[in-house]
Amino acid sequence: MRIDVFTIFPELLEGFSSVALLGRARRDGVLDLRIHDLRDATTDARRSVDDAPFGGGAGMVLTPGPLFQAVETTDPPRPLYLLGPRGRRFDQSVAEELAGLAAGASGGFSLLCGRYEGVDERVSDHLVDGELSIGDYVLAGGEAAAMVVIEAVSRLLPGVMGNEASAQDESFTSGLLEYPHYTRPADFRGWEVPEVLRNGDHARIERWRRLKALQRTIDERPDLIVARGGISDEEQRLLDAEDPDRSS
Ligand code: ADE
């Protein structure tokens, strides 16, 4: 998959993407991440990318010139998304949608990191294909958001996760939070790993994990239960069998 990122802080993204899962994916050639410095597309000696807002007010606005220049000379994979707090909310289903673009005509997508108080509106109107937000809070710029998007998408690409099954088996894929995980020692300071996980009965283990994922999601993220369309009859039976008091 190819992902192009346009930013005035390329070193932030280079650092983040050169180690761990992303570093390996880049070295293995699964992820073709191209980071473009917007200042390389400036024409003045000071390499300026921002200016004061028309109409007055606090802060600086990214000027359209270098942004259009950088994107037009690169011709990056589309869609191209501007990162900013007013964008479409990025979640696991958007991550899956973006990962699917690896197999599409452009082979990927691109990200443009906003900065300062904002980006000249003509960039939204005439350069990008859409906008993405990672949540309802305001960051100083789109770089941290770009890292979130790139990591969430990349780990869905075939060959990126060490254990292919784990991306599949996960919480948000089936609309539930993850079941609890344990490793050695079986007894840590008197806190024991549940007996069911230690007896090798795989059908029982699976039932237990499903039950824990359900209970955890009902208790901590009831909104996710609503979003997935409620609880199936089979799941309700599982909950009732475990603890009749919990059923309602
Ligand atoms: N830039 C500033 N805030 C942001 C947010 N919440 N999501 C994406 N990019 C941003």
Side-chain angles (χ1 to χ4, degrees), residues 60-191:
M60 300 289 269
V61 177
L62 284 179
T63 59
L67 276 59
F68 275 79
Q69 174 70 18
V71 170
E72 285 164 356
T73 55
T74 306
D75 190 22
R78 297 249 176 189
L80 164 63
Y81 295 107
L82 175 65
L83 291 158
R86 73 178 187 187
R88 172 184 175 202
R89 176 69 65 84
F90 181 76
D91 63 13
Q92 191 66 19
S93 68
V94 180
E96 282 164 16
E97 184 185 311
L98 295 183
L101 295 170
S106 77
F109 65 96
S110 302
L111 300 171
L112 178 53
C113 301
R115 267 277 142 184
Y116 304 120
E117 299 304 304
V119 178
D120 189 285
E121 193 65 20
R122 288 162 291 191
V123 169
S124 301
D125 291 344
H126 306 292
L127 184 63
V128 302
D129 302 301
E131 303 191 14
L132 286 179
S133 165
I134 62 162
D136 286 340
Y137 38 78
V138 182
L139 301 166
E143 284 75 13
M147 296 187 233
V148 167
V149 171
I150 294 165
E151 181 164 312
V153 171
S154 297
R155 60 186 290 290
L156 298 175
L157 300 174
V160 170
M161 295 274 279
N163 176 1
E164 287 297 318
S166 52
Q168 287 299 309
D169 179 47
E170 256 174 25
S171 61
F172 282 94
T173 327
S174 64
L176 296 177
L177 297 177
E178 282 248 15
Y179 52 77
H181 300 273
Y182 296 90
T183 185
R184 276 176 284 277
D187 182 333
F188 177 68
R189 299 186 176 181
W191 299 306

Side-chain angles (χ1 to χ4, degrees), residues 16-55:
F16 181 77
S17 65
S18 63
V19 292
L21 177 130
L22 291 178
R24 201 172 341 105
R26 290 183 84 180
R27 285 191 293 280
D28 291 349
V30 182
L31 174 64
D32 177 9
L33 180 64
R34 304 189 196 183
I35 300 164
H36 307 277
D37 186 348
L38 286 167
R39 290 191 195 275
D40 290 344
T42 53
T43 49
D44 62 319
R46 288 181 47 252
R47 291 168 42 98
S48 41
V49 288
D50 60 325
D51 210 333
F54 271 113

